[in-house]
Amino acid sequence: MKIIIKIWKWYKQYVKEMCIVFLISVLLMLSSMMTPLLTRSLIDEGLYGKNWHIILSIIVFLIIIELTVSCLTYLQEKISTKIKSNIEYFLNNTAFLHSLKIKYQYYKDYSLIKMLNDVLYDIDEILSISEDGFVTVFITVFKMIGGGVALFYMNWKLSILVVMIIPIKFFLNSQFKKSTYQCSLELKKNNENYNFWFEDVTKGDIDIRLYNLKDIILGEYKKLNRNNIFTFRKKKLLYKSYNCIVDCVEKISVYLIYVIASYDMLNGGMSVGEIISFVGFSSYLLSPVDVLLHFIMLIKDVEPSMESYERFMNYELEDVVRDEVIEIDEIRKIKFKNVSFRIEGTNVLDDLNFEINRGDKVAFIGDNGSGKTSCVNLITRLYEKSSGKIFINDIEIEKIDIRKYRKSISAVCQHVYLFNKTIIENITLDSKSDFNDKIIFLENCNLFKFVHRLPDGWETQVGSSGNKLSGGEKQKIALGRVLNRNTSVIILDEPTSAYDKESVEDFNKWLFKEFSDKIVIIVTHDKRVLDFVNKIFEFKNGKITIYNKLK
């Protein structure tokens, strides 16, 4: 029932369309009541009565009804498809936006791609309800009512026998839907495992080639694929066996109806036309029941996906401000007071206390895993502190609007990501300023002289993830982003790790001179950088030692 209520919330905005569906349902109900009665008259009064006028009249009526039903059914399908497409569009966009706003901690175990693949799979499974009958449930119910009324009008005794088949179908449905639920749960788990594996493999394609891991990877793929196909086949066979059993029960019931009806006819009761019409149109009552039962089974079927979808949509957002939102235009001071950060109970940073002011050039040094990048992630608000307080311009960081806050920060990350666009587009990103102005500004820096060697210069396409460029060239483009934004805080995480010697010297001399009035934080293992900073924060076992140098 919760699933139906949840889905209905998505559908209720289409009240106008649903009213049209309701009207179509009433018209189709009337047609389902008229068709068996007209067919009975066609046989008894037309064929057996040898009345050509009645035969033609009834056939014309039946043709008109069939044409009307076809048009109405098409209209209903058009409305259903439109509603489903709009809801799918809405859910996909909402899920994508949500994935970009959730707290960064959720990406620790799973990447954005993996999360999106999982949730899009869930949405597709959930919307299979609308595709297979949610909108048409109105028509199904009204058809069942119309067919039942017509059958009871023709012969109420035989109609009771037909109605007795319904609880048998419901019983069979309740037994099978437990098994299909388990299959759906297993399929979803298989899909999640495959997405996780696939992303991991695509990132390691070079190592797979260099270390001759093709056979191992192929073996893993075969296992995952086999599990998925086996479970899907198992689910399909469950549906098939259910349909076979239900069809068998229905056919046996029809044969019993023939026996009882024939006995009644031989004793002067029902006519041949009534028997043929009754048996033929008993499906007007039973077929809608099958549709409803299939719908009930689908609801159970999509339950794992709905649970997964709701769990994803309940992930905490990083831009939620508990109190009044405070906006800032620039960052003049960063202060940590007794700040600690833990991951899964382990202290990564322990009781940090420091202050960074405008104009400071700070180097974060220390061994791998000492907490340097974690501290940067606290400053950029990718992570949340476990205890203590972080102040920005003497304001608690949590009270500041995160979008405005990040507009004051530029960063060159350790692993640079480039979009599949041109070099200048990767530098300007969402900036609306004139590209030509930016090009003139960047060409004054020796770090970007490599651009002139490229076939299309600044308009060169960098390829997927920047695979057409070297590691050093990618880092220089990332630095170009920093220059373009011109923010009050600049964070550089191993920004020169792929530079050649000449580029490193240009970087060290030029960067800190260029940003004399800004806060610059550089995470580095390169001791040459230390000559250009006025503060050194040495990280060791989650703690820091601060060395001040003369500016």
Side-chain angles (χ1 to χ4, degrees), residues 168-332:
I168 297 174
K169 288 189 172 187
F170 267 94
F171 173 76
L172 293 171
N173 179 273
S174 65
Q175 297 302 308
F176 273 90
K177 70 182 181 182
K178 296 175 184 176
S179 300
T180 57
Y181 171 79
Q182 291 301 323
C183 284
S184 296
L185 201 61
E186 194 173 338
L187 272 174
K188 173 163 176 53
K189 189 66 178 176
N190 289 344
N191 182 73
E192 290 176 350
N193 290 338
Y194 176 78
N195 287 338
F196 186 76
W197 174 87
F198 183 76
E199 183 195 7
D200 189 51
V201 167
T202 52
K203 287 180 178 178
D205 58 332
I206 294 177
D207 293 286
I208 291 170
R209 294 170 186 273
L210 293 178
Y211 290 94
N212 294 318
L213 301 177
K214 295 185 185 71
D215 291 338
I216 295 174
I217 297 301
L218 178 61
E220 293 175 352
Y221 174 76
K222 285 181 177 179
K223 182 179 178 181
L224 288 166
N225 198 30
R226 183 173 59 248
N227 291 342
N228 205 39
I229 290 173
F230 176 78
T231 307
F232 182 78
R233 183 176 62 190
K234 179 182 174 183
K235 182 179 176 180
K236 192 172 182 180
L237 287 173
L238 275 171
Y239 271 103
K240 190 67 178 177
S241 59
Y242 166 75
N243 290 330
C244 287
I245 293 173
V246 169
D247 287 344
C248 185
V249 169
E250 190 170 319
K251 286 178 179 178
I252 291 172
S253 302
V254 169
Y255 296 146
L256 288 175
I257 290 172
Y258 268 121
V259 171
I260 296 171
S262 299
Y263 178 81
D264 188 55
M265 185 189 72
L266 294 173
N267 286 281
M270 296 180 71
S271 65
V272 175
E274 286 178 323
I275 294 174
I276 294 174
S277 297
F278 187 90
V279 173
F281 289 96
S282 61
S283 62
Y284 273 62
L285 178 60
L286 296 177
S287 293
V289 171
D290 291 336
V291 173
L292 285 176
L293 291 176
H294 178 65
F295 181 68
I296 291 171
M297 191 174 285
L298 274 177
I299 291 174
K300 191 68 177 176
D301 206 13
V302 303
E303 198 171 297
S305 291
M306 179 61 84
E307 291 171 354
S308 175
Y309 173 80
E310 289 188 327
R311 187 165 54 249
F312 171 78
M313 294 304 293
N314 285 329
Y315 284 168
E316 290 183 80
L317 303 180
E318 65 174 7
D319 59 355
V320 175
V321 179
R322 296 172 183 83
D323 301 313
E324 184 180 352
V325 178
I326 299 173
E327 296 185 358
I328 60 173
D329 294 323
E330 64 174 354
I331 298 173
R332 298 181 300 277

